[in-house]
Amino acid sequence: MTPTAPADAFTPGAYAARARAWLHDNLTDALRTDRALSEPASLAERVAFEAEMHKAGLAGITWPKAYGGHGLTLREHLEANREIGRAPVPNSVNSIGKELAGPIIMAVGTPAQQAEYLPEILNMQTIWCQGFSEPGAGSDLAALRTKAEATADGWRVNGQKIWTSGASKSQRCLLLARTGSVQDRHRGLVMFAVPMDSPGVSVREIRSIDGARSFCEVFFSDVIVDEANMLGTPDEGWAAATRVLSIERATNRMYRPWRFQSELEHLVAVCRSDKAAYAVLKSHARELAEIRTEIELLKGHVETLVDSLLAGEEIGPRGSFPKFFWSEAHQRFTRLAFDIVSRFAPGVDGPLRDVQARMQEAYLSSRAETIYAGTTEIQLDIIANRILHLKKVA
Amino acid sequence: MYDDLKPADFEATALMAVEACAKAGTTAERAQLLAEAGLLGVLAPDDCGGLGLSMRFGVPIASAAGKGLLAYPLIETMVLARALAGVAPDMATALCEGSVIASIAWAGFGDDGVVGRAPLAHEAAQVLVFLADGRAVLVATDDQVSVDAAPEFDLDVPEATLRLSAPPQGIVLSAALVATLKAEAQFLRTAVVLGSVSACLGLASDYAQDRVQFGKLLSANQALRHRMSRDAVVAETLRSGLARALTAPREGAGMARDALWCWAAQAGPSVAESAIQVLGGMGFTWDVPLHRHLRRMRALAHQGAARERLDEIADAVLGSTDNEWYGDIADAR
C-alpha cells in the first residue's frame, strides 16, 4: 500500500479528490468487487485495507477525534462516500462496529467504555456483530427471548441469536437481551458488548442463497457478562439504540446510489467491449434508463437527509423513505442486470464473465435488501403509522 | 432587494391565490389574481415587473397550482416572462401584470405549419412556437393562426392545436434562451406533479379514514395502508429530488433535472390511479377531482416529452463512461 496522508491534511473542497486518489492507489485487484472470478482478498487483507482507509480519512469521518475519528461533518462523510461508491470497494467487514455499535456507544457508553471500544473499531482491531434478531424475533424484535439475569458474578445470558452477519469473524457482539419476561415487550431490554471468546458463546455459520457463509447463528449458554460491558442501563440502552437506528437507517452505507451507478457503468462498459453483448444491452435501453433515473433520485434522498441532519433536524421515521426506495430500486436493477448477463453468448470469458458473475451474485444477494434493517413491509408500516398517521379505528 | 424572502413564504400566498382563482369566472380574472399576488413574474427581472427570484421560488408556486388544479397557463407564463425580459421587455411586463395571456405549443415545429399541446391557447393572445433550428417565435393568435381546441383531456388547462397559415412571425427567442426555458419548465412541471400527488394522497387518506366497510375503517386494512405509504414515498422522492436538482448538484445538473422529470411523469399519474383505487366506486366518478389530477399529470407528461427525455437518458447510459475504474475496457462496438 502507498503511504497515506493524515486526514488533517484534507480540506473539505479537496476531500473527494483525495479519496479518489487514495482509492486509485490502494484498491488492489484482489480487493475489487468487480473481479468476481479472481481469488478474493483474505479477511486479514480486508481488515488491513480498512484500517488504512481510516488512516487516510475515508472512515470514522464524523467520529470525534478523542475516539480516533476525524472530527468532521456528514458533508465530508458524503464526499468520501461518493468516491467509495464510485469505486469497486468491498463492503466493510466491520460495518456493525462503525455504523451501529460505535454510535450507540457514543450515545450511552461510559467514558471508560468509549475509550476502550471506540478506537479499536476504527483501527479494525475489534470487529463487531449484531446480536438482535432471534428465531422468533425478526421484524418483531420486541418478542426476543434471550435472557439476562443479574447474578453475583455479573449478568448470566442464555438464548439464541440468528442472522448474525459476520459473527464467526467478530471479536465482540452488540447483544440485545431482556431482564424480565417476553410479555414485557420493549420494557427491560438491555444491551451488552459481549466478547465473542466468552465461555458459553458458540457460533454456527449459515449458508445464504448467494452461497456465502457470512450469516450465523450464535448461541449463549450461561455466558457471564461483566457489568462493565453493559451499555447504558436496562431500558436506556434500547431507547438509545432505537434513536441511533433511525439515523443509521438513513445514513448507513451512504455510498449506495454511487455504488449502484458504478455497477451500472461496469455492466455498460463491459457490454460495449463485445458486439453481441452490446446488442443485448441495447435491447434493454429504456429499462436501463429507468434504473438510471432511480439512482439519481436515490441521490436526492441521501443528500436531502444529510442536509436535514446538518441542519440539526430529527430524522425519525423519515429514514424509512430511503431504505424502502434503495432496496426496491436495487432489486429492480439487479433483476434487469441478471437478465442481460444471462443472455451473453455461452462460454464468454474475461471481463464479460466477471460482470456476469458479479450481476448473478448481486441478483441473489439483493434479495436480502428488502428484508434486513427492517423489511419493506415494516418500512411501509412506519410510514403509514408515523408519517401518514393513518387511523386503524374510527 | 428580496434577500429576506424564503421559498416557503410563497407557498401560502400561492395556495390562497389558487383557491381564489378556483372561484374566478374567467381566465382574465385569474390572470389578475395571480399577477396581484406577484406569482406570474416571480422569475422575471424586477424591471419587467417581476421579482427576479430563482427557480427555488417558482417551485412552491407551481406545486400550489398542481394541488389546486389552477386553470391558467402558469408554467408557460412564468418561463416566458423571464425569457422575454431581455428581448421584449414590454411583453414580459404584460405577462407579469396578467394583461396578456400567453401559452407555449410544446409539441411540433412552426416550420411544419402545425403545432400542438399548447395549454389554454384558445384563450391566449400570444403563443410561443418552436422552430426546428432550436429557436422559437412568439406569434399572435390572429389571422395567421387558427386555433383548434384539441379533445379536452386536461379539463383544467385544456390543450389546443395551432395551424399556421404562413411561416411564424413575431418576437424571436434564441436557441440558448429556448433551451433555458425548456429546462425551467421541467422543474415547474415536476412541482405541479408534486402538488397533484399531495392532493391525491390527501384525498385517499381522508376517504380511507372515514369510510367503514366490513365493520372497520378502510385505513385499517394493511393492503391500503401500504398502498398509501408507497404513494407517500413518491411524494417524498419528488420533494427530495427537487431539492437536490435545484441546488445545482456537483455531478450533472442536467441529469438530475431530467431524471427527476422522467420519473415524476411516470410516478405522478400512478399516485392518482392509486387514489382512485382507494376511493373505489367514488374514485371513478366525475365529481371527485382525482380524474382531473390524473388528466393534468398525463397531459404534462406529454408536454414535457417525458418519453423522449427517457430515450435521451438511455443514450447517455449506453454511452462511454467517465468512471475511470471502467475506462480501460476496450470499446468494440
Short mmCIF file of all heavy atoms in Angstrom, two decimals, chain A residues 6-8 10-12 15-16 18-20 22-23 50-85 98-99 103 106 118 121-123 251 254-255 306 310:
data_model
loop_
_atom_site.label_atom_id
_atom_site.label_comp_id
_atom_site.label_asym_id
_atom_site.label_seq_id
_atom_site.Cartn_x
_atom_site.Cartn_y
_atom_site.Cartn_z
N PRO A 6 -2.24 12.09 6.46
CA PRO A 6 -3.14 12.25 7.61
C PRO A 6 -4.41 12.98 7.18
O PRO A 6 -4.37 13.85 6.30
CB PRO A 6 -2.32 13.11 8.58
CG PRO A 6 -1.28 13.77 7.74
CD PRO A 6 -1.01 12.86 6.60
N ALA A 7 -5.51 12.61 7.81
CA ALA A 7 -6.78 13.21 7.43
C ALA A 7 -6.77 14.71 7.67
O ALA A 7 -7.47 15.46 6.98
CB ALA A 7 -7.90 12.57 8.24
N ASP A 8 -5.96 15.16 8.62
CA ASP A 8 -5.92 16.59 8.91
C ASP A 8 -5.50 17.42 7.70
O ASP A 8 -5.79 18.60 7.61
CB ASP A 8 -4.92 16.86 10.05
CG ASP A 8 -5.47 16.39 11.38
OD1 ASP A 8 -6.63 15.92 11.41
OD2 ASP A 8 -4.75 16.47 12.36
N PHE A 10 -6.53 17.23 4.84
CA PHE A 10 -7.62 17.43 3.87
C PHE A 10 -8.40 18.71 4.16
O PHE A 10 -8.67 19.05 5.30
CB PHE A 10 -8.61 16.26 3.94
CG PHE A 10 -8.06 14.95 3.46
CD1 PHE A 10 -8.76 13.79 3.70
CD2 PHE A 10 -6.86 14.88 2.78
CE1 PHE A 10 -8.27 12.57 3.28
CE2 PHE A 10 -6.37 13.67 2.35
CZ PHE A 10 -7.06 12.50 2.61
N THR A 11 -8.75 19.39 3.12
CA THR A 11 -9.71 20.48 3.25
C THR A 11 -11.01 19.99 2.65
O THR A 11 -10.98 19.12 1.77
CB THR A 11 -9.23 21.73 2.50
OG1 THR A 11 -9.05 21.37 1.13
CG2 THR A 11 -7.92 22.25 3.07
N PRO A 12 -12.14 20.52 3.09
CA PRO A 12 -13.41 19.96 2.59
C PRO A 12 -13.49 19.93 1.07
O PRO A 12 -13.93 18.93 0.48
CB PRO A 12 -14.45 20.91 3.18
CG PRO A 12 -13.80 21.45 4.41
CD PRO A 12 -12.34 21.54 4.09
N TYR A 15 -11.63 17.02 -0.45
CA TYR A 15 -11.85 15.71 0.16
C TYR A 15 -12.12 14.61 -0.87
O TYR A 15 -11.52 13.53 -0.82
CB TYR A 15 -13.03 15.78 1.14
CG TYR A 15 -12.81 14.96 2.37
CD1 TYR A 15 -12.19 15.50 3.49
CD2 TYR A 15 -13.17 13.63 2.42
CE1 TYR A 15 -11.94 14.75 4.61
CE2 TYR A 15 -12.94 12.87 3.54
CZ TYR A 15 -12.32 13.43 4.64
OH TYR A 15 -12.07 12.67 5.75
N ALA A 16 -13.01 14.92 -1.82
CA ALA A 16 -13.38 13.90 -2.81
C ALA A 16 -12.17 13.53 -3.66
O ALA A 16 -11.94 12.35 -3.93
CB ALA A 16 -14.51 14.42 -3.67
N ARG A 18 -9.01 13.69 -2.92
CA ARG A 18 -8.05 12.90 -2.14
C ARG A 18 -8.54 11.47 -1.97
O ARG A 18 -7.76 10.52 -2.07
CB ARG A 18 -7.82 13.53 -0.75
CG ARG A 18 -7.17 14.90 -0.79
CD ARG A 18 -5.76 14.84 -1.38
NE ARG A 18 -4.85 14.03 -0.61
CZ ARG A 18 -3.99 14.49 0.30
NH1 ARG A 18 -3.94 15.79 0.56
NH2 ARG A 18 -3.19 13.69 0.95
N ALA A 19 -9.85 11.34 -1.71
CA ALA A 19 -10.41 10.00 -1.56
C ALA A 19 -10.25 9.21 -2.85
O ALA A 19 -9.85 8.05 -2.85
CB ALA A 19 -11.90 10.08 -1.18
N ARG A 20 -10.52 9.88 -3.97
CA ARG A 20 -10.41 9.21 -5.27
C ARG A 20 -8.97 8.76 -5.51
O ARG A 20 -8.72 7.63 -5.93
CB ARG A 20 -10.87 10.17 -6.38
CG ARG A 20 -10.94 9.52 -7.74
CD ARG A 20 -11.48 10.44 -8.80
NE ARG A 20 -12.88 10.79 -8.58
CZ ARG A 20 -13.68 11.30 -9.52
NH1 ARG A 20 -13.20 11.53 -10.71
NH2 ARG A 20 -14.93 11.59 -9.25
N TRP A 22 -6.62 8.22 -3.33
CA TRP A 22 -6.21 7.16 -2.39
C TRP A 22 -6.74 5.81 -2.84
O TRP A 22 -6.02 4.81 -2.86
CB TRP A 22 -6.69 7.48 -0.97
CG TRP A 22 -6.10 6.52 0.03
CD1 TRP A 22 -4.92 6.64 0.69
CD2 TRP A 22 -6.66 5.26 0.42
NE1 TRP A 22 -4.69 5.53 1.47
CE2 TRP A 22 -5.74 4.67 1.34
CE3 TRP A 22 -7.83 4.57 0.11
CZ2 TRP A 22 -5.98 3.43 1.93
CZ3 TRP A 22 -8.06 3.32 0.70
CH2 TRP A 22 -7.14 2.77 1.60
N LEU A 23 -8.01 5.78 -3.23
CA LEU A 23 -8.59 4.51 -3.67
C LEU A 23 -7.88 4.01 -4.92
O LEU A 23 -7.61 2.81 -5.06
CB LEU A 23 -10.10 4.69 -3.94
CG LEU A 23 -10.95 4.86 -2.68
CD1 LEU A 23 -12.36 5.32 -3.05
CD2 LEU A 23 -11.03 3.56 -1.87
N GLU A 50 -9.05 -1.74 5.38
CA GLU A 50 -9.98 -0.84 6.07
C GLU A 50 -9.27 0.02 7.11
O GLU A 50 -9.64 1.18 7.32
CB GLU A 50 -11.10 -1.65 6.72
CG GLU A 50 -12.15 -2.08 5.73
CD GLU A 50 -13.43 -2.53 6.42
OE1 GLU A 50 -13.95 -1.80 7.27
OE2 GLU A 50 -13.88 -3.64 6.11
N ALA A 51 -8.28 -0.55 7.76
CA ALA A 51 -7.53 0.24 8.74
C ALA A 51 -6.81 1.38 8.03
O ALA A 51 -6.77 2.52 8.52
CB ALA A 51 -6.54 -0.66 9.48
N GLU A 52 -6.26 1.09 6.85
CA GLU A 52 -5.59 2.14 6.07
C GLU A 52 -6.59 3.17 5.56
O GLU A 52 -6.30 4.36 5.51
CB GLU A 52 -4.83 1.51 4.89
CG GLU A 52 -3.61 0.71 5.30
CD GLU A 52 -2.56 1.54 6.03
OE1 GLU A 52 -2.28 2.68 5.59
OE2 GLU A 52 -2.04 1.07 7.06
N MET A 53 -7.78 2.69 5.17
CA MET A 53 -8.84 3.62 4.73
C MET A 53 -9.13 4.63 5.82
O MET A 53 -9.32 5.83 5.56
CB MET A 53 -10.14 2.85 4.45
CG MET A 53 -10.40 2.52 3.01
SD MET A 53 -11.98 1.63 2.86
CE MET A 53 -13.08 2.95 2.41
N HIS A 54 -9.18 4.14 7.05
CA HIS A 54 -9.45 5.03 8.17
C HIS A 54 -8.34 6.05 8.33
O HIS A 54 -8.59 7.24 8.46
CB HIS A 54 -9.65 4.22 9.45
CG HIS A 54 -9.61 5.07 10.67
ND1 HIS A 54 -8.68 4.88 11.67
CD2 HIS A 54 -10.33 6.15 11.02
CE1 HIS A 54 -8.87 5.81 12.60
NE2 HIS A 54 -9.85 6.59 12.23
N LYS A 55 -7.10 5.56 8.27
CA LYS A 55 -5.97 6.49 8.42
C LYS A 55 -5.99 7.55 7.33
O LYS A 55 -5.60 8.69 7.54
CB LYS A 55 -4.64 5.71 8.34
CG LYS A 55 -4.29 4.97 9.61
CD LYS A 55 -2.85 4.46 9.48
CE LYS A 55 -2.66 3.19 10.30
NZ LYS A 55 -1.48 2.43 9.87
N ALA A 56 -6.43 7.14 6.15
CA ALA A 56 -6.45 8.07 5.01
C ALA A 56 -7.64 9.03 5.07
O ALA A 56 -7.79 9.88 4.20
CB ALA A 56 -6.49 7.27 3.71
N GLY A 57 -8.49 8.87 6.06
CA GLY A 57 -9.61 9.79 6.20
C GLY A 57 -10.87 9.36 5.50
O GLY A 57 -11.78 10.15 5.28
N LEU A 58 -10.98 8.06 5.15
CA LEU A 58 -12.17 7.58 4.45
C LEU A 58 -13.11 6.79 5.36
O LEU A 58 -14.10 6.24 4.90
CB LEU A 58 -11.78 6.71 3.25
CG LEU A 58 -11.46 7.46 1.96
CD1 LEU A 58 -10.17 8.24 2.07
CD2 LEU A 58 -11.39 6.49 0.79
N ALA A 59 -12.80 6.73 6.64
CA ALA A 59 -13.70 6.08 7.60
C ALA A 59 -13.58 6.83 8.93
O ALA A 59 -12.59 7.51 9.17
CB ALA A 59 -13.34 4.61 7.78
N GLY A 60 -14.60 6.70 9.75
CA GLY A 60 -14.58 7.41 11.04
C GLY A 60 -14.59 8.92 10.86
O GLY A 60 -14.11 9.66 11.72
N ILE A 61 -15.13 9.36 9.75
CA ILE A 61 -15.02 10.77 9.37
C ILE A 61 -15.73 11.67 10.37
O ILE A 61 -15.21 12.72 10.77
CB ILE A 61 -15.57 10.97 7.94
CG1 ILE A 61 -14.66 10.21 6.95
CG2 ILE A 61 -15.66 12.45 7.57
CD1 ILE A 61 -15.25 10.00 5.58
N THR A 62 -16.92 11.27 10.81
CA THR A 62 -17.69 12.14 11.70
C THR A 62 -17.43 11.84 13.18
O THR A 62 -17.94 12.53 14.04
CB THR A 62 -19.20 11.99 11.44
OG1 THR A 62 -19.55 10.62 11.70
CG2 THR A 62 -19.55 12.34 10.01
N TRP A 63 -16.66 10.81 13.47
CA TRP A 63 -16.41 10.47 14.86
C TRP A 63 -15.49 11.51 15.50
O TRP A 63 -14.56 12.00 14.84
CB TRP A 63 -15.74 9.10 14.97
CG TRP A 63 -16.64 7.94 14.69
CD1 TRP A 63 -17.70 7.91 13.83
CD2 TRP A 63 -16.53 6.62 15.24
NE1 TRP A 63 -18.26 6.65 13.81
CE2 TRP A 63 -17.56 5.86 14.66
CE3 TRP A 63 -15.66 6.02 16.14
CZ2 TRP A 63 -17.76 4.51 14.98
CZ3 TRP A 63 -15.85 4.68 16.45
CH2 TRP A 63 -16.89 3.94 15.89
N PRO A 64 -15.69 11.80 16.78
CA PRO A 64 -14.80 12.76 17.46
C PRO A 64 -13.35 12.26 17.45
O PRO A 64 -13.09 11.06 17.48
CB PRO A 64 -15.34 12.78 18.89
CG PRO A 64 -16.73 12.29 18.79
CD PRO A 64 -16.77 11.32 17.65
N LYS A 65 -12.45 13.21 17.41
CA LYS A 65 -11.03 12.85 17.39
C LYS A 65 -10.64 12.07 18.64
O LYS A 65 -9.75 11.22 18.60
CB LYS A 65 -10.18 14.11 17.27
CG LYS A 65 -10.25 14.74 15.89
CD LYS A 65 -9.28 15.89 15.76
CE LYS A 65 -9.32 16.43 14.33
NZ LYS A 65 -8.37 17.48 14.08
N ALA A 66 -11.31 12.36 19.75
CA ALA A 66 -10.98 11.67 21.01
C ALA A 66 -11.17 10.16 20.89
O ALA A 66 -10.55 9.39 21.63
CB ALA A 66 -11.86 12.21 22.13
N TYR A 67 -12.04 9.74 19.96
CA TYR A 67 -12.28 8.30 19.80
C TYR A 67 -11.58 7.75 18.57
O TYR A 67 -11.92 6.69 18.06
CB TYR A 67 -13.79 8.03 19.68
CG TYR A 67 -14.62 8.59 20.80
CD1 TYR A 67 -15.88 9.12 20.55
CD2 TYR A 67 -14.17 8.58 22.12
CE1 TYR A 67 -16.67 9.64 21.57
CE2 TYR A 67 -14.93 9.10 23.15
CZ TYR A 67 -16.17 9.63 22.87
OH TYR A 67 -16.93 10.14 23.87
N GLY A 68 -10.63 8.50 18.06
CA GLY A 68 -9.90 8.03 16.88
C GLY A 68 -10.51 8.47 15.57
O GLY A 68 -10.04 8.11 14.50
N GLY A 69 -11.58 9.27 15.64
CA GLY A 69 -12.23 9.74 14.41
C GLY A 69 -11.54 10.96 13.84
O GLY A 69 -10.49 11.40 14.35
N HIS A 70 -12.13 11.50 12.78
CA HIS A 70 -11.52 12.65 12.13
C HIS A 70 -12.21 13.97 12.49
O HIS A 70 -11.80 15.03 12.04
CB HIS A 70 -11.51 12.45 10.62
CG HIS A 70 -10.69 11.25 10.21
ND1 HIS A 70 -9.33 11.17 10.43
CD2 HIS A 70 -11.05 10.06 9.66
CE1 HIS A 70 -8.88 10.00 10.01
NE2 HIS A 70 -9.91 9.30 9.55
N GLY A 71 -13.28 13.90 13.28
CA GLY A 71 -13.90 15.10 13.82
C GLY A 71 -14.50 16.02 12.76
O GLY A 71 -14.59 17.23 12.97
N LEU A 72 -14.93 15.43 11.63
CA LEU A 72 -15.50 16.26 10.56
C LEU A 72 -17.01 16.07 10.51
O LEU A 72 -17.60 15.48 11.42
CB LEU A 72 -14.83 15.90 9.22
CG LEU A 72 -13.32 16.18 9.20
CD1 LEU A 72 -12.66 15.53 7.99
CD2 LEU A 72 -13.05 17.68 9.20
N THR A 73 -17.64 16.57 9.47
CA THR A 73 -19.11 16.55 9.42
C THR A 73 -19.61 15.52 8.40
O THR A 73 -18.85 14.94 7.63
CB THR A 73 -19.68 17.92 9.00
OG1 THR A 73 -19.35 18.11 7.61
CG2 THR A 73 -19.08 19.04 9.83
N LEU A 74 -20.94 15.37 8.38
CA LEU A 74 -21.55 14.48 7.40
C LEU A 74 -21.30 14.96 5.97
O LEU A 74 -21.39 14.18 5.03
CB LEU A 74 -23.06 14.40 7.63
CG LEU A 74 -23.57 13.35 8.61
CD1 LEU A 74 -25.08 13.46 8.74
CD2 LEU A 74 -23.20 11.93 8.18
N ARG A 75 -20.99 16.22 5.81
CA ARG A 75 -20.68 16.75 4.48
C ARG A 75 -19.44 16.03 3.91
O ARG A 75 -19.45 15.55 2.78
CB ARG A 75 -20.44 18.26 4.57
CG ARG A 75 -20.17 18.95 3.27
CD ARG A 75 -21.39 19.11 2.39
NE ARG A 75 -22.45 19.88 3.00
CZ ARG A 75 -23.74 19.71 2.75
NH1 ARG A 75 -24.14 18.79 1.90
NH2 ARG A 75 -24.65 20.44 3.34
N GLU A 76 -18.38 15.96 4.75
CA GLU A 76 -17.16 15.27 4.30
C GLU A 76 -17.41 13.76 4.17
O GLU A 76 -16.89 13.11 3.26
CB GLU A 76 -16.00 15.51 5.27
CG GLU A 76 -15.41 16.91 5.21
CD GLU A 76 -16.21 17.94 6.00
OE1 GLU A 76 -17.11 17.52 6.77
OE2 GLU A 76 -15.95 19.14 5.86
N HIS A 77 -18.25 13.24 5.08
CA HIS A 77 -18.62 11.82 5.00
C HIS A 77 -19.28 11.53 3.66
O HIS A 77 -18.98 10.53 3.00
CB HIS A 77 -19.56 11.50 6.17
CG HIS A 77 -19.98 10.07 6.26
ND1 HIS A 77 -19.18 9.09 6.78
CD2 HIS A 77 -21.13 9.45 5.89
CE1 HIS A 77 -19.81 7.93 6.74
NE2 HIS A 77 -20.99 8.12 6.20
N LEU A 78 -20.17 12.41 3.24
CA LEU A 78 -20.86 12.25 1.96
C LEU A 78 -19.86 12.34 0.81
O LEU A 78 -19.91 11.53 -0.13
CB LEU A 78 -21.95 13.32 1.83
CG LEU A 78 -22.70 13.39 0.50
CD1 LEU A 78 -23.44 12.09 0.20
CD2 LEU A 78 -23.71 14.55 0.52
N GLU A 79 -18.96 13.32 0.89
CA GLU A 79 -17.95 13.48 -0.16
C GLU A 79 -17.14 12.19 -0.34
O GLU A 79 -16.94 11.71 -1.45
CB GLU A 79 -16.97 14.62 0.20
CG GLU A 79 -17.58 16.00 0.16
CD GLU A 79 -17.75 16.51 -1.25
OE1 GLU A 79 -16.83 16.32 -2.05
OE2 GLU A 79 -18.82 17.07 -1.56
N ALA A 80 -16.67 11.65 0.78
CA ALA A 80 -15.86 10.43 0.71
C ALA A 80 -16.69 9.26 0.19
O ALA A 80 -16.21 8.45 -0.61
CB ALA A 80 -15.30 10.10 2.09
N ASN A 81 -17.96 9.20 0.62
CA ASN A 81 -18.79 8.06 0.23
C ASN A 81 -19.17 8.08 -1.25
O ASN A 81 -19.39 7.02 -1.84
CB ASN A 81 -20.03 7.98 1.12
CG ASN A 81 -19.74 7.17 2.37
OD1 ASN A 81 -19.90 5.95 2.38
ND2 ASN A 81 -19.25 7.82 3.41
N ARG A 82 -19.25 9.26 -1.83
CA ARG A 82 -19.46 9.32 -3.28
C ARG A 82 -18.32 8.58 -3.99
O ARG A 82 -18.54 7.82 -4.94
CB ARG A 82 -19.45 10.77 -3.75
CG ARG A 82 -20.73 11.52 -3.52
CD ARG A 82 -20.76 12.75 -4.42
NE ARG A 82 -21.91 13.56 -4.12
CZ ARG A 82 -21.87 14.68 -3.40
NH1 ARG A 82 -20.74 15.13 -2.91
NH2 ARG A 82 -22.98 15.36 -3.18
N GLU A 83 -17.11 8.80 -3.53
CA GLU A 83 -15.95 8.18 -4.17
C GLU A 83 -15.87 6.70 -3.84
O GLU A 83 -15.49 5.89 -4.70
CB GLU A 83 -14.67 8.91 -3.76
CG GLU A 83 -14.63 10.35 -4.18
CD GLU A 83 -14.82 10.53 -5.69
OE1 GLU A 83 -14.35 9.68 -6.46
OE2 GLU A 83 -15.46 11.52 -6.08
N ILE A 84 -16.20 6.35 -2.60
CA ILE A 84 -16.19 4.93 -2.22
C ILE A 84 -17.22 4.17 -3.06
O ILE A 84 -16.97 3.07 -3.53
CB ILE A 84 -16.48 4.78 -0.71
CG1 ILE A 84 -15.30 5.33 0.10
CG2 ILE A 84 -16.76 3.32 -0.34
CD1 ILE A 84 -15.57 5.48 1.58
N GLY A 85 -18.37 4.80 -3.29
CA GLY A 85 -19.41 4.17 -4.11
C GLY A 85 -19.00 4.02 -5.55
O GLY A 85 -19.30 3.02 -6.20
N LYS A 98 -18.79 0.11 12.94
CA LYS A 98 -18.69 1.52 12.55
C LYS A 98 -20.03 2.24 12.51
O LYS A 98 -20.11 3.43 12.80
CB LYS A 98 -18.03 1.62 11.16
CG LYS A 98 -16.56 1.20 11.16
CD LYS A 98 -16.02 1.19 9.73
CE LYS A 98 -14.62 0.60 9.71
NZ LYS A 98 -14.13 0.42 8.34
N GLU A 99 -21.08 1.51 12.10
CA GLU A 99 -22.33 2.21 11.84
C GLU A 99 -23.42 1.93 12.87
O GLU A 99 -24.47 2.57 12.83
CB GLU A 99 -22.83 1.89 10.43
CG GLU A 99 -21.78 2.29 9.39
CD GLU A 99 -22.29 2.32 7.97
OE1 GLU A 99 -22.84 1.32 7.49
OE2 GLU A 99 -22.10 3.37 7.34
N PRO A 103 -21.86 4.32 17.13
CA PRO A 103 -22.77 5.41 17.50
C PRO A 103 -23.56 5.14 18.79
O PRO A 103 -23.83 6.07 19.55
CB PRO A 103 -23.71 5.49 16.29
CG PRO A 103 -22.88 4.98 15.14
CD PRO A 103 -22.03 3.89 15.73
N MET A 106 -21.21 5.76 21.63
CA MET A 106 -21.05 7.21 21.81
C MET A 106 -22.25 7.80 22.54
O MET A 106 -22.12 8.74 23.32
CB MET A 106 -20.88 7.90 20.45
CG MET A 106 -19.47 7.80 19.91
SD MET A 106 -19.34 8.75 18.38
CE MET A 106 -18.87 7.46 17.25
N LEU A 118 -14.16 2.29 21.25
CA LEU A 118 -14.32 3.06 20.00
C LEU A 118 -13.07 3.09 19.12
O LEU A 118 -13.17 2.80 17.92
CB LEU A 118 -14.82 4.48 20.32
CG LEU A 118 -16.25 4.51 20.88
CD1 LEU A 118 -16.63 5.92 21.34
CD2 LEU A 118 -17.25 4.00 19.87
N ILE A 121 -12.55 0.05 17.01
CA ILE A 121 -13.46 -0.18 15.87
C ILE A 121 -12.84 0.41 14.61
O ILE A 121 -12.75 -0.24 13.57
CB ILE A 121 -14.84 0.44 16.14
CG1 ILE A 121 -15.56 -0.33 17.26
CG2 ILE A 121 -15.69 0.45 14.87
CD1 ILE A 121 -16.88 0.29 17.71
N LEU A 122 -12.37 1.63 14.73
CA LEU A 122 -11.85 2.31 13.54
C LEU A 122 -10.51 1.72 13.08
O LEU A 122 -10.25 1.65 11.88
CB LEU A 122 -11.70 3.81 13.80
CG LEU A 122 -13.02 4.56 13.99
CD1 LEU A 122 -12.76 6.04 14.24
CD2 LEU A 122 -13.93 4.40 12.77
N ASN A 123 -9.67 1.31 14.04
CA ASN A 123 -8.39 0.73 13.57
C ASN A 123 -8.52 -0.77 13.28
O ASN A 123 -7.51 -1.43 12.99
CB ASN A 123 -7.26 1.03 14.56
CG ASN A 123 -7.43 0.30 15.89
OD1 ASN A 123 -8.13 -0.71 15.99
ND2 ASN A 123 -6.80 0.82 16.94
N THR A 251 -28.50 6.80 7.08
CA THR A 251 -27.16 7.23 6.68
C THR A 251 -26.18 6.08 6.43
O THR A 251 -25.10 6.32 5.91
CB THR A 251 -26.53 8.15 7.75
OG1 THR A 251 -26.44 7.41 8.97
CG2 THR A 251 -27.35 9.39 7.95
N MET A 254 -23.77 5.09 2.96
CA MET A 254 -24.27 6.26 2.24
C MET A 254 -23.87 6.24 0.78
O MET A 254 -24.42 6.95 -0.05
CB MET A 254 -23.72 7.51 2.94
CG MET A 254 -24.37 8.80 2.54
SD MET A 254 -23.66 10.17 3.44
CE MET A 254 -24.53 10.08 4.99
N TYR A 255 -22.90 5.38 0.45
CA TYR A 255 -22.41 5.34 -0.93
C TYR A 255 -23.34 4.63 -1.90
O TYR A 255 -23.06 4.55 -3.09
CB TYR A 255 -21.03 4.66 -0.97
CG TYR A 255 -20.95 3.31 -0.26
CD1 TYR A 255 -21.50 2.17 -0.82
CD2 TYR A 255 -20.29 3.19 0.96
CE1 TYR A 255 -21.42 0.95 -0.18
CE2 TYR A 255 -20.19 1.96 1.61
CZ TYR A 255 -20.76 0.84 1.03
OH TYR A 255 -20.67 -0.37 1.67
N VAL A 306 -28.93 14.20 4.51
CA VAL A 306 -27.68 14.78 5.03
C VAL A 306 -27.91 16.26 5.35
O VAL A 306 -27.50 16.76 6.41
CB VAL A 306 -26.53 14.59 4.02
CG1 VAL A 306 -25.32 15.45 4.40
CG2 VAL A 306 -26.11 13.12 3.97
N LEU A 310 -27.52 17.89 9.00
CA LEU A 310 -26.59 19.01 9.22
C LEU A 310 -27.31 20.22 9.78
O LEU A 310 -26.73 21.03 10.50
CB LEU A 310 -25.89 19.37 7.91
CG LEU A 310 -24.80 18.40 7.44
CD1 LEU A 310 -24.39 18.69 6.01
CD2 LEU A 310 -23.58 18.47 8.37
#
